[in-house]
Amino acid sequence: MIQTPLPGRWLLAAIMPGDEVEQSIVGDLAEEYAVRVRTDGARRAWTWYNRQAMGVAWRQVAKDMWRSAEELRRGVVMQDVRFAWRALRAHAGVHSMVVTVIAVGVAGTALAFSMVDQALLKALPYPEAGELFVFRHLSLEASSDAGQFSPMDAQDLRESLAWERSLSTYWFDPTSSLATLTGEGPPKGVATAFVDQAFFGVMGTEAALGRTLGEADNVSGRDAVVVLSHDFWSQELRADPGILGQSLRLDGGLLEVVGVMPPSFQFPAPEAQVWLPASLVTEDMVPNRRGVRYREGIIRVPSPSTAGEARVAAEGVFARLAEAYPDSNEGWTRAELVPLREALVGGFRMGILFLMGVTGLLLMVVAASVGGLLTARAASRTREMAIRLSIGADRARLTRQLLGESVLLASAGGILGLGLAFLASGAVSRFTSETLGFAASVTPDLRVAAFTALVSLTTGVLLGLVPAWAIRKAPPSAFLGGARQGVGGTRRGLRTLVLAETALAAILLAGTGLMTRSFIALVDTDPGFDTEDVWSLRFRLPVGDDGQQLLRDRQRLMDIASDVPGVLSVGGSKTPLLEGGGEPYTFGVPGPSGDVVEITPESGTYLVLPGFFETLGARFVTGRPFTDDDPGLTVVVNQTLAESLWPGEDPLTKHFVMAGGEWPVMGVIESLHDDGLAAGSMAAVYVDAARFPRSSLFMFLRTAPGAQDVIPAVQQAIWAEYPDQVILETKAVSGLIDEAVARPRWLARVIGVFGALAVVLAALGVYGVVSQSVSNRRGEIAVRIALGASPDRVLREHLSSGLLMIGMGTAIGLLAALGLGQAISSLLFGVAPTDFVAFGGAGLVVLACGFVASLVPAMRATRIDPVHIIREE
């Protein structure tokens, strides 16, 4: 017999009811198809059959819809809904478990999708945001996360390519680009973005009040102007509508307020409070040299193809600059344009996508658990179905009732899950924003609610299809065997679901183990300095005319702090710990033959004050720290640099050459993790900054153990002599370590929560399946016990059956987790993607939970009373 074409055959099987009329129609179509194959050819016959199948299926669907509409008019559908509700209430225990499982999965999905929606899907609040690209200037060796411009390179690029209105550069660094606000209550720090003349034009956003900054505002002498963020205006200035034209005192200078931006404008970061002309950046803030690259670039281009052309044109200009200025630009010939959204998400993209993948795995666990529970429940209803079909029940109505039960369960779980997501969104948003450092609201909106409703309804329909399909297709005799026959028919499906949920739980737990082990390894990393009883105070000092007053004020602040009882030592640095920020100085290193080789330390050159190393407890390999009595300019290098430059030699006999002078090496320290715990130890140089006027000061204090009131005393002593000096930040250095591991901790916690949920849901699913199986087979178990089977044997059989499925599922999951480990290898630190401890621990936890979930219903099977059950059967 000729096989009919697959699309049409499947369509008829799915749509048509399993009665004699259907068999007659399908048979007639098959006979006609065979005739047409011989007369018209296989291709025309294939087209004819599928067209006829679609017509027959559509007529059947229309007939069902018309009947459903008629039944809705007569109230039959509402009767079915009430019947479904009564059926669910009759077995409230298992159905409550189903609703709970669905609610947990929906809540996690809603929160995760809210974050993904905000970070990756929502439109950015800038006109034609798709035209905005982050512009990076890179050396041939630089990684793609670098890419700042020097002001001179940016200006040459604009003039060469006529990009005066399309390319902008700006400087915003929460560590360095701060201004001190005085005259508006107590002095306070203000996060400041320094922008060039094209910035607001490129971004395309107009001011909500007044105007933005333009070309005339970036001219020295006419640049005493400021634009305020909406938050700063409303919170610090009480939303004064007459603020335009008034002056703010920032860093001792008066700046006229010319505009207030709308609330949606939060570029380059939500923390930015004011925007100032880039011409106000002083030499002490950032050295004004071509080789000092500190500004970020942003460009507006009409299309991605134009972005490619712009990159090629820019690289041509950079090549010419490298020839014209080899000392500062040699090798700096690469350009890179990155879409603004991608650049804003940056390092969070992998974590967010990883979170979405974890959520997807959790949803699969939910589906497998719920599917197992409902399939086992359906198997116990075969007697009910047999009786109803035997007395003439309509198959379509039975199908609708079963689907209605599943949809009610899924809807209840979806509503409960969405409510849980709303209740948890506030805490999750605060935790995520504080940890990741960007405004990450995860409150579900209408779009997320719609997505959640779609997930819930789809789940309900899919979960109801299996029993509904059986009712729609099977003859009544298929159900006459009662529960025992039903269990035999669904056992393979239940085993598959148990395998799936335990495998998925093992994958998630293996990922949890990897992230947790990575986090522990990061926390255990020695930063190279002590953290106990060490504090960091952050200052921004006024420069003055020649910088000499700054040097005196800085030293006086150090002296005031050191005189406070309980302070054991004081040191200082231009930059904070663990955040990099070393200046890109190039030194000459005399070689053995007298030639001088230029080097630029990989991590940079750090300006530190005497007492820095002693206060932090940095460990010297050889030599000593700086002192106030050192003549001239001296340096300390880290062990990484010393070993690379002078292997096997005494570094204390060496010196650097710079600015026409010799800078002797005073000591070598064990390498600090200047650029972060995960960055490793890179070559670095530390220069005595006593002669360098820098407005940024991080003062480090070592206090006596248990001296709780020392830091407030230091603050009061400073304000007694410098009442207008703002202390921007006061932190325990131990807290800096916590901040450095905040993101890995967040990922470890999130996947840990999801992993724990997956194990709990899988255990509930296994428990429900085994428990329902015991209930369905209690007649068989009663007969076996009556015939002499011992309870221990019954226990072993049920327990071994459950553990076999769980063991196989765990093994499959751990094998699949090997791929997960490779996928998240970039997020791991100090842990192999195939870490034995993480994988072994995950397997043991899943097996243990599965053992308990199987043991409880198996124990119940041994307590069955055979006399009572046999009488009932």
Side-chain angles (χ1 to χ4, degrees), residues 97-110 366 370 409-410 412-421 456 761:
M97 190 179 299
V98 170
V99 170
T100 302
V101 170
I102 293 175
V104 170
V106 166
T109 302
V366 170
V370 173
L409 286 174
I415 294 171
L416 179 59
L418 194 59
L420 291 175
S456 301
L761 294 178

mmCIF file with all atom_site columns, all heavy atoms in Angstrom, residues 97-110 366 370 409-410 412-421 456 761:
data_model
loop_
_atom_site.group_PDB
_atom_site.id
_atom_site.type_symbol
_atom_site.label_atom_id
_atom_site.label_alt_id
_atom_site.label_comp_id
_atom_site.label_asym_id
_atom_site.label_entity_id
_atom_site.label_seq_id
_atom_site.pdbx_PDB_ins_code
_atom_site.Cartn_x
_atom_site.Cartn_y
_atom_site.Cartn_z
_atom_site.occupancy
_atom_site.B_iso_or_equiv
_atom_site.pdbx_formal_charge
_atom_site.auth_seq_id
_atom_site.auth_comp_id
_atom_site.auth_asym_id
_atom_site.auth_atom_id
_atom_site.pdbx_PDB_model_num
ATOM 1   N N   . MET A 1 97  ? 0.503  20.884 44.524 1.00 0.00 ? 97  MET A N   1
ATOM 2   C CA  . MET A 1 97  ? 1.919  20.735 44.226 1.00 0.00 ? 97  MET A CA  1
ATOM 3   C C   . MET A 1 97  ? 2.213  21.201 42.801 1.00 0.00 ? 97  MET A C   1
ATOM 4   O O   . MET A 1 97  ? 3.212  21.889 42.544 1.00 0.00 ? 97  MET A O   1
ATOM 5   C CB  . MET A 1 97  ? 2.345  19.273 44.401 1.00 0.00 ? 97  MET A CB  1
ATOM 6   C CG  . MET A 1 97  ? 3.835  19.029 44.346 1.00 0.00 ? 97  MET A CG  1
ATOM 7   S SD  . MET A 1 97  ? 4.233  17.273 44.585 1.00 0.00 ? 97  MET A SD  1
ATOM 8   C CE  . MET A 1 97  ? 3.578  17.008 46.224 1.00 0.00 ? 97  MET A CE  1
ATOM 9   N N   . VAL A 1 98  ? 1.311  20.885 41.868 1.00 0.00 ? 98  VAL A N   1
ATOM 10  C CA  . VAL A 1 98  ? 1.495  21.312 40.478 1.00 0.00 ? 98  VAL A CA  1
ATOM 11  C C   . VAL A 1 98  ? 1.470  22.835 40.381 1.00 0.00 ? 98  VAL A C   1
ATOM 12  O O   . VAL A 1 98  ? 2.319  23.461 39.733 1.00 0.00 ? 98  VAL A O   1
ATOM 13  C CB  . VAL A 1 98  ? 0.400  20.694 39.583 1.00 0.00 ? 98  VAL A CB  1
ATOM 14  C CG1 . VAL A 1 98  ? 0.423  21.328 38.194 1.00 0.00 ? 98  VAL A CG1 1
ATOM 15  C CG2 . VAL A 1 98  ? 0.606  19.191 39.467 1.00 0.00 ? 98  VAL A CG2 1
ATOM 16  N N   . VAL A 1 99  ? 0.491  23.472 41.046 1.00 0.00 ? 99  VAL A N   1
ATOM 17  C CA  . VAL A 1 99  ? 0.388  24.931 41.007 1.00 0.00 ? 99  VAL A CA  1
ATOM 18  C C   . VAL A 1 99  ? 1.631  25.573 41.612 1.00 0.00 ? 99  VAL A C   1
ATOM 19  O O   . VAL A 1 99  ? 2.162  26.566 41.081 1.00 0.00 ? 99  VAL A O   1
ATOM 20  C CB  . VAL A 1 99  ? -0.876 25.396 41.755 1.00 0.00 ? 99  VAL A CB  1
ATOM 21  C CG1 . VAL A 1 99  ? -0.881 26.912 41.930 1.00 0.00 ? 99  VAL A CG1 1
ATOM 22  C CG2 . VAL A 1 99  ? -2.121 24.966 40.994 1.00 0.00 ? 99  VAL A CG2 1
ATOM 23  N N   . THR A 1 100 ? 2.130  25.022 42.707 1.00 0.00 ? 100 THR A N   1
ATOM 24  C CA  . THR A 1 100 ? 3.332  25.573 43.348 1.00 0.00 ? 100 THR A CA  1
ATOM 25  C C   . THR A 1 100 ? 4.538  25.481 42.429 1.00 0.00 ? 100 THR A C   1
ATOM 26  O O   . THR A 1 100 ? 5.310  26.443 42.297 1.00 0.00 ? 100 THR A O   1
ATOM 27  C CB  . THR A 1 100 ? 3.614  24.829 44.658 1.00 0.00 ? 100 THR A CB  1
ATOM 28  O OG1 . THR A 1 100 ? 2.480  24.950 45.521 1.00 0.00 ? 100 THR A OG1 1
ATOM 29  C CG2 . THR A 1 100 ? 4.841  25.407 45.359 1.00 0.00 ? 100 THR A CG2 1
ATOM 30  N N   . VAL A 1 101 ? 4.699  24.338 41.798 1.00 0.00 ? 101 VAL A N   1
ATOM 31  C CA  . VAL A 1 101 ? 5.839  24.158 40.896 1.00 0.00 ? 101 VAL A CA  1
ATOM 32  C C   . VAL A 1 101 ? 5.768  25.152 39.744 1.00 0.00 ? 101 VAL A C   1
ATOM 33  O O   . VAL A 1 101 ? 6.754  25.805 39.386 1.00 0.00 ? 101 VAL A O   1
ATOM 34  C CB  . VAL A 1 101 ? 5.887  22.703 40.385 1.00 0.00 ? 101 VAL A CB  1
ATOM 35  C CG1 . VAL A 1 101 ? 6.919  22.561 39.267 1.00 0.00 ? 101 VAL A CG1 1
ATOM 36  C CG2 . VAL A 1 101 ? 6.217  21.743 41.522 1.00 0.00 ? 101 VAL A CG2 1
ATOM 37  N N   . ILE A 1 102 ? 4.581  25.298 39.151 1.00 0.00 ? 102 ILE A N   1
ATOM 38  C CA  . ILE A 1 102 ? 4.423  26.248 38.041 1.00 0.00 ? 102 ILE A CA  1
ATOM 39  C C   . ILE A 1 102 ? 4.684  27.667 38.522 1.00 0.00 ? 102 ILE A C   1
ATOM 40  O O   . ILE A 1 102 ? 5.345  28.471 37.838 1.00 0.00 ? 102 ILE A O   1
ATOM 41  C CB  . ILE A 1 102 ? 3.016  26.135 37.431 1.00 0.00 ? 102 ILE A CB  1
ATOM 42  C CG1 . ILE A 1 102 ? 2.840  24.769 36.753 1.00 0.00 ? 102 ILE A CG1 1
ATOM 43  C CG2 . ILE A 1 102 ? 2.772  27.247 36.424 1.00 0.00 ? 102 ILE A CG2 1
ATOM 44  C CD1 . ILE A 1 102 ? 1.443  24.518 36.216 1.00 0.00 ? 102 ILE A CD1 1
ATOM 45  N N   . ALA A 1 103 ? 4.189  28.033 39.711 1.00 0.00 ? 103 ALA A N   1
ATOM 46  C CA  . ALA A 1 103 ? 4.361  29.390 40.219 1.00 0.00 ? 103 ALA A CA  1
ATOM 47  C C   . ALA A 1 103 ? 5.833  29.722 40.411 1.00 0.00 ? 103 ALA A C   1
ATOM 48  O O   . ALA A 1 103 ? 6.282  30.824 40.080 1.00 0.00 ? 103 ALA A O   1
ATOM 49  C CB  . ALA A 1 103 ? 3.609  29.548 41.540 1.00 0.00 ? 103 ALA A CB  1
ATOM 50  N N   . VAL A 1 104 ? 6.599  28.787 40.935 1.00 0.00 ? 104 VAL A N   1
ATOM 51  C CA  . VAL A 1 104 ? 8.030  29.028 41.138 1.00 0.00 ? 104 VAL A CA  1
ATOM 52  C C   . VAL A 1 104 ? 8.717  29.254 39.796 1.00 0.00 ? 104 VAL A C   1
ATOM 53  O O   . VAL A 1 104 ? 9.521  30.185 39.629 1.00 0.00 ? 104 VAL A O   1
ATOM 54  C CB  . VAL A 1 104 ? 8.672  27.854 41.892 1.00 0.00 ? 104 VAL A CB  1
ATOM 55  C CG1 . VAL A 1 104 ? 10.195 27.988 41.899 1.00 0.00 ? 104 VAL A CG1 1
ATOM 56  C CG2 . VAL A 1 104 ? 8.153  27.781 43.314 1.00 0.00 ? 104 VAL A CG2 1
ATOM 57  N N   . GLY A 1 105 ? 8.400  28.421 38.818 1.00 0.00 ? 105 GLY A N   1
ATOM 58  C CA  . GLY A 1 105 ? 9.011  28.596 37.504 1.00 0.00 ? 105 GLY A CA  1
ATOM 59  C C   . GLY A 1 105 ? 8.610  29.901 36.842 1.00 0.00 ? 105 GLY A C   1
ATOM 60  O O   . GLY A 1 105 ? 9.437  30.589 36.244 1.00 0.00 ? 105 GLY A O   1
ATOM 61  N N   . VAL A 1 106 ? 7.333  30.280 36.965 1.00 0.00 ? 106 VAL A N   1
ATOM 62  C CA  . VAL A 1 106 ? 6.858  31.525 36.348 1.00 0.00 ? 106 VAL A CA  1
ATOM 63  C C   . VAL A 1 106 ? 7.492  32.731 37.023 1.00 0.00 ? 106 VAL A C   1
ATOM 64  O O   . VAL A 1 106 ? 7.890  33.704 36.358 1.00 0.00 ? 106 VAL A O   1
ATOM 65  C CB  . VAL A 1 106 ? 5.322  31.593 36.417 1.00 0.00 ? 106 VAL A CB  1
ATOM 66  C CG1 . VAL A 1 106 ? 4.820  32.995 36.112 1.00 0.00 ? 106 VAL A CG1 1
ATOM 67  C CG2 . VAL A 1 106 ? 4.717  30.602 35.429 1.00 0.00 ? 106 VAL A CG2 1
ATOM 68  N N   . ALA A 1 107 ? 7.616  32.719 38.366 1.00 0.00 ? 107 ALA A N   1
ATOM 69  C CA  . ALA A 1 107 ? 8.222  33.847 39.077 1.00 0.00 ? 107 ALA A CA  1
ATOM 70  C C   . ALA A 1 107 ? 9.666  34.048 38.638 1.00 0.00 ? 107 ALA A C   1
ATOM 71  O O   . ALA A 1 107 ? 10.095 35.173 38.350 1.00 0.00 ? 107 ALA A O   1
ATOM 72  C CB  . ALA A 1 107 ? 8.149  33.617 40.587 1.00 0.00 ? 107 ALA A CB  1
ATOM 73  N N   . GLY A 1 108 ? 10.432 32.966 38.589 1.00 0.00 ? 108 GLY A N   1
ATOM 74  C CA  . GLY A 1 108 ? 11.814 33.094 38.135 1.00 0.00 ? 108 GLY A CA  1
ATOM 75  C C   . GLY A 1 108 ? 11.910 33.577 36.710 1.00 0.00 ? 108 GLY A C   1
ATOM 76  O O   . GLY A 1 108 ? 12.755 34.412 36.373 1.00 0.00 ? 108 GLY A O   1
ATOM 77  N N   . THR A 1 109 ? 11.019 33.086 35.852 1.00 0.00 ? 109 THR A N   1
ATOM 78  C CA  . THR A 1 109 ? 11.032 33.502 34.450 1.00 0.00 ? 109 THR A CA  1
ATOM 79  C C   . THR A 1 109 ? 10.681 34.981 34.314 1.00 0.00 ? 109 THR A C   1
ATOM 80  O O   . THR A 1 109 ? 11.313 35.716 33.542 1.00 0.00 ? 109 THR A O   1
ATOM 81  C CB  . THR A 1 109 ? 10.026 32.667 33.646 1.00 0.00 ? 109 THR A CB  1
ATOM 82  O OG1 . THR A 1 109 ? 10.363 31.283 33.780 1.00 0.00 ? 109 THR A OG1 1
ATOM 83  C CG2 . THR A 1 109 ? 10.057 33.043 32.184 1.00 0.00 ? 109 THR A CG2 1
ATOM 84  N N   . ALA A 1 110 ? 9.682  35.441 35.078 1.00 0.00 ? 110 ALA A N   1
ATOM 85  C CA  . ALA A 1 110 ? 9.271  36.846 34.982 1.00 0.00 ? 110 ALA A CA  1
ATOM 86  C C   . ALA A 1 110 ? 10.395 37.772 35.419 1.00 0.00 ? 110 ALA A C   1
ATOM 87  O O   . ALA A 1 110 ? 10.666 38.786 34.765 1.00 0.00 ? 110 ALA A O   1
ATOM 88  C CB  . ALA A 1 110 ? 8.025  37.081 35.838 1.00 0.00 ? 110 ALA A CB  1
ATOM 89  N N   . VAL A 1 366 ? 10.586 22.497 35.534 1.00 0.00 ? 366 VAL A N   1
ATOM 90  C CA  . VAL A 1 366 ? 9.189  22.693 35.893 1.00 0.00 ? 366 VAL A CA  1
ATOM 91  C C   . VAL A 1 366 ? 8.278  21.877 34.979 1.00 0.00 ? 366 VAL A C   1
ATOM 92  O O   . VAL A 1 366 ? 7.374  21.173 35.435 1.00 0.00 ? 366 VAL A O   1
ATOM 93  C CB  . VAL A 1 366 ? 8.826  24.192 35.820 1.00 0.00 ? 366 VAL A CB  1
ATOM 94  C CG1 . VAL A 1 366 ? 7.324  24.392 35.943 1.00 0.00 ? 366 VAL A CG1 1
ATOM 95  C CG2 . VAL A 1 366 ? 9.541  24.957 36.910 1.00 0.00 ? 366 VAL A CG2 1
ATOM 96  N N   . VAL A 1 370 ? 5.960  18.897 36.359 1.00 0.00 ? 370 VAL A N   1
ATOM 97  C CA  . VAL A 1 370 ? 4.508  18.990 36.226 1.00 0.00 ? 370 VAL A CA  1
ATOM 98  C C   . VAL A 1 370 ? 3.986  17.922 35.277 1.00 0.00 ? 370 VAL A C   1
ATOM 99  O O   . VAL A 1 370 ? 2.937  17.300 35.526 1.00 0.00 ? 370 VAL A O   1
ATOM 100 C CB  . VAL A 1 370 ? 4.112  20.399 35.760 1.00 0.00 ? 370 VAL A CB  1
ATOM 101 C CG1 . VAL A 1 370 ? 2.626  20.472 35.446 1.00 0.00 ? 370 VAL A CG1 1
ATOM 102 C CG2 . VAL A 1 370 ? 4.467  21.417 36.824 1.00 0.00 ? 370 VAL A CG2 1
ATOM 103 N N   . LEU A 1 409 ? -5.026 24.814 36.072 1.00 0.00 ? 409 LEU A N   1
ATOM 104 C CA  . LEU A 1 409 ? -3.819 24.651 36.892 1.00 0.00 ? 409 LEU A CA  1
ATOM 105 C C   . LEU A 1 409 ? -2.733 25.631 36.455 1.00 0.00 ? 409 LEU A C   1
ATOM 106 O O   . LEU A 1 409 ? -2.107 26.302 37.294 1.00 0.00 ? 409 LEU A O   1
ATOM 107 C CB  . LEU A 1 409 ? -3.301 23.217 36.784 1.00 0.00 ? 409 LEU A CB  1
ATOM 108 C CG  . LEU A 1 409 ? -4.082 22.134 37.517 1.00 0.00 ? 409 LEU A CG  1
ATOM 109 C CD1 . LEU A 1 409 ? -3.520 20.764 37.181 1.00 0.00 ? 409 LEU A CD1 1
ATOM 110 C CD2 . LEU A 1 409 ? -4.034 22.366 39.020 1.00 0.00 ? 409 LEU A CD2 1
ATOM 111 N N   . ALA A 1 410 ? -2.498 25.696 35.143 1.00 0.00 ? 410 ALA A N   1
ATOM 112 C CA  . ALA A 1 410 ? -1.443 26.581 34.653 1.00 0.00 ? 410 ALA A CA  1
ATOM 113 C C   . ALA A 1 410 ? -1.783 28.045 34.917 1.00 0.00 ? 410 ALA A C   1
ATOM 114 O O   . ALA A 1 410 ? -0.903 28.837 35.268 1.00 0.00 ? 410 ALA A O   1
ATOM 115 C CB  . ALA A 1 410 ? -1.219 26.353 33.157 1.00 0.00 ? 410 ALA A CB  1
ATOM 116 N N   . ALA A 1 412 ? -3.669 29.260 37.372 1.00 0.00 ? 412 ALA A N   1
ATOM 117 C CA  . ALA A 1 412 ? -3.479 29.524 38.800 1.00 0.00 ? 412 ALA A CA  1
ATOM 118 C C   . ALA A 1 412 ? -1.999 29.649 39.138 1.00 0.00 ? 412 ALA A C   1
ATOM 119 O O   . ALA A 1 412 ? -1.587 30.555 39.882 1.00 0.00 ? 412 ALA A O   1
ATOM 120 C CB  . ALA A 1 412 ? -4.112 28.404 39.621 1.00 0.00 ? 412 ALA A CB  1
ATOM 121 N N   . GLY A 1 413 ? -1.179 28.757 38.572 1.00 0.00 ? 413 GLY A N   1
ATOM 122 C CA  . GLY A 1 413 ? 0.266  28.845 38.807 1.00 0.00 ? 413 GLY A CA  1
ATOM 123 C C   . GLY A 1 413 ? 0.850  30.123 38.233 1.00 0.00 ? 413 GLY A C   1
ATOM 124 O O   . GLY A 1 413 ? 1.722  30.746 38.852 1.00 0.00 ? 413 GLY A O   1
ATOM 125 N N   . GLY A 1 414 ? 0.375  30.542 37.048 1.00 0.00 ? 414 GLY A N   1
ATOM 126 C CA  . GLY A 1 414 ? 0.881  31.763 36.438 1.00 0.00 ? 414 GLY A CA  1
ATOM 127 C C   . GLY A 1 414 ? 0.532  32.999 37.246 1.00 0.00 ? 414 GLY A C   1
ATOM 128 O O   . GLY A 1 414 ? 1.377  33.883 37.454 1.00 0.00 ? 414 GLY A O   1
ATOM 129 N N   . ILE A 1 415 ? -0.724 33.080 37.716 1.00 0.00 ? 415 ILE A N   1
ATOM 130 C CA  . ILE A 1 415 ? -1.132 34.237 38.522 1.00 0.00 ? 415 ILE A CA  1
ATOM 131 C C   . ILE A 1 415 ? -0.344 34.288 39.822 1.00 0.00 ? 415 ILE A C   1
ATOM 132 O O   . ILE A 1 415 ? 0.161  35.345 40.235 1.00 0.00 ? 415 ILE A O   1
ATOM 133 C CB  . ILE A 1 415 ? -2.641 34.176 38.794 1.00 0.00 ? 415 ILE A CB  1
ATOM 134 C CG1 . ILE A 1 415 ? -3.420 34.348 37.486 1.00 0.00 ? 415 ILE A CG1 1
ATOM 135 C CG2 . ILE A 1 415 ? -3.048 35.239 39.810 1.00 0.00 ? 415 ILE A CG2 1
ATOM 136 C CD1 . ILE A 1 415 ? -4.906 34.100 37.613 1.00 0.00 ? 415 ILE A CD1 1
ATOM 137 N N   . LEU A 1 416 ? -0.219 33.138 40.487 1.00 0.00 ? 416 LEU A N   1
ATOM 138 C CA  . LEU A 1 416 ? 0.548  33.094 41.733 1.00 0.00 ? 416 LEU A CA  1
ATOM 139 C C   . LEU A 1 416 ? 2.015  33.435 41.482 1.00 0.00 ? 416 LEU A C   1
ATOM 140 O O   . LEU A 1 416 ? 2.627  34.200 42.247 1.00 0.00 ? 416 LEU A O   1
ATOM 141 C CB  . LEU A 1 416 ? 0.437  31.699 42.360 1.00 0.00 ? 416 LEU A CB  1
ATOM 142 C CG  . LEU A 1 416 ? 1.207  31.485 43.672 1.00 0.00 ? 416 LEU A CG  1
ATOM 143 C CD1 . LEU A 1 416 ? 0.743  32.465 44.740 1.00 0.00 ? 416 LEU A CD1 1
ATOM 144 C CD2 . LEU A 1 416 ? 1.036  30.040 44.150 1.00 0.00 ? 416 LEU A CD2 1
ATOM 145 N N   . GLY A 1 417 ? 2.580  32.918 40.387 1.00 0.00 ? 417 GLY A N   1
ATOM 146 C CA  . GLY A 1 417 ? 3.981  33.204 40.076 1.00 0.00 ? 417 GLY A CA  1
ATOM 147 C C   . GLY A 1 417 ? 4.221  34.663 39.768 1.00 0.00 ? 417 GLY A C   1
ATOM 148 O O   . GLY A 1 417 ? 5.217  35.247 40.208 1.00 0.00 ? 417 GLY A O   1
ATOM 149 N N   . LEU A 1 418 ? 3.289  35.284 39.027 1.00 0.00 ? 418 LEU A N   1
ATOM 150 C CA  . LEU A 1 418 ? 3.437  36.703 38.723 1.00 0.00 ? 418 LEU A CA  1
ATOM 151 C C   . LEU A 1 418 ? 3.335  37.539 39.993 1.00 0.00 ? 418 LEU A C   1
ATOM 152 O O   . LEU A 1 418 ? 4.071  38.523 40.166 1.00 0.00 ? 418 LEU A O   1
ATOM 153 C CB  . LEU A 1 418 ? 2.380  37.128 37.707 1.00 0.00 ? 418 LEU A CB  1
ATOM 154 C CG  . LEU A 1 418 ? 2.593  38.492 37.043 1.00 0.00 ? 418 LEU A CG  1
ATOM 155 C CD1 . LEU A 1 418 ? 3.915  38.536 36.304 1.00 0.00 ? 418 LEU A CD1 1
ATOM 156 C CD2 . LEU A 1 418 ? 1.441  38.797 36.081 1.00 0.00 ? 418 LEU A CD2 1
ATOM 157 N N   . GLY A 1 419 ? 2.434  37.143 40.901 1.00 0.00 ? 419 GLY A N   1
ATOM 158 C CA  . GLY A 1 419 ? 2.355  37.843 42.177 1.00 0.00 ? 419 GLY A CA  1
ATOM 159 C C   . GLY A 1 419 ? 3.642  37.721 42.975 1.00 0.00 ? 419 GLY A C   1
ATOM 160 O O   . GLY A 1 419 ? 4.124  38.697 43.573 1.00 0.00 ? 419 GLY A O   1
ATOM 161 N N   . LEU A 1 420 ? 4.218  36.516 42.997 1.00 0.00 ? 420 LEU A N   1
ATOM 162 C CA  . LEU A 1 420 ? 5.495  36.329 43.695 1.00 0.00 ? 420 LEU A CA  1
ATOM 163 C C   . LEU A 1 420 ? 6.583  37.194 43.064 1.00 0.00 ? 420 LEU A C   1
ATOM 164 O O   . LEU A 1 420 ? 7.428  37.762 43.775 1.00 0.00 ? 420 LEU A O   1
ATOM 165 C CB  . LEU A 1 420 ? 5.903  34.851 43.649 1.00 0.00 ? 420 LEU A CB  1
ATOM 166 C CG  . LEU A 1 420 ? 5.049  33.873 44.469 1.00 0.00 ? 420 LEU A CG  1
ATOM 167 C CD1 . LEU A 1 420 ? 5.495  32.447 44.213 1.00 0.00 ? 420 LEU A CD1 1
ATOM 168 C CD2 . LEU A 1 420 ? 5.151  34.208 45.957 1.00 0.00 ? 420 LEU A CD2 1
ATOM 169 N N   . ALA A 1 421 ? 6.578  37.302 41.722 1.00 0.00 ? 421 ALA A N   1
ATOM 170 C CA  . ALA A 1 421 ? 7.588  38.111 41.046 1.00 0.00 ? 421 ALA A CA  1
ATOM 171 C C   . ALA A 1 421 ? 7.447  39.588 41.433 1.00 0.00 ? 421 ALA A C   1
ATOM 172 O O   . ALA A 1 421 ? 8.449  40.267 41.674 1.00 0.00 ? 421 ALA A O   1
ATOM 173 C CB  . ALA A 1 421 ? 7.466  37.948 39.528 1.00 0.00 ? 421 ALA A CB  1
ATOM 174 N N   . SER A 1 456 ? 2.310  30.536 30.706 1.00 0.00 ? 456 SER A N   1
ATOM 175 C CA  . SER A 1 456 ? 1.408  29.747 31.542 1.00 0.00 ? 456 SER A CA  1
ATOM 176 C C   . SER A 1 456 ? 0.367  29.018 30.697 1.00 0.00 ? 456 SER A C   1
ATOM 177 O O   . SER A 1 456 ? 0.135  27.816 30.877 1.00 0.00 ? 456 SER A O   1
ATOM 178 C CB  . SER A 1 456 ? 0.725  30.650 32.568 1.00 0.00 ? 456 SER A CB  1
ATOM 179 O OG  . SER A 1 456 ? 1.668  31.287 33.386 1.00 0.00 ? 456 SER A OG  1
ATOM 180 N N   . LEU A 1 761 ? 12.339 21.120 42.950 1.00 0.00 ? 761 LEU A N   1
ATOM 181 C CA  . LEU A 1 761 ? 11.280 20.803 42.001 1.00 0.00 ? 761 LEU A CA  1
ATOM 182 C C   . LEU A 1 761 ? 11.425 19.394 41.449 1.00 0.00 ? 761 LEU A C   1
ATOM 183 O O   . LEU A 1 761 ? 10.433 18.670 41.288 1.00 0.00 ? 761 LEU A O   1
ATOM 184 C CB  . LEU A 1 761 ? 11.290 21.818 40.861 1.00 0.00 ? 761 LEU A CB  1
ATOM 185 C CG  . LEU A 1 761 ? 10.942 23.264 41.233 1.00 0.00 ? 761 LEU A CG  1
ATOM 186 C CD1 . LEU A 1 761 ? 11.050 24.163 40.018 1.00 0.00 ? 761 LEU A CD1 1
ATOM 187 C CD2 . LEU A 1 761 ? 9.552  23.350 41.836 1.00 0.00 ? 761 LEU A CD2 1
#
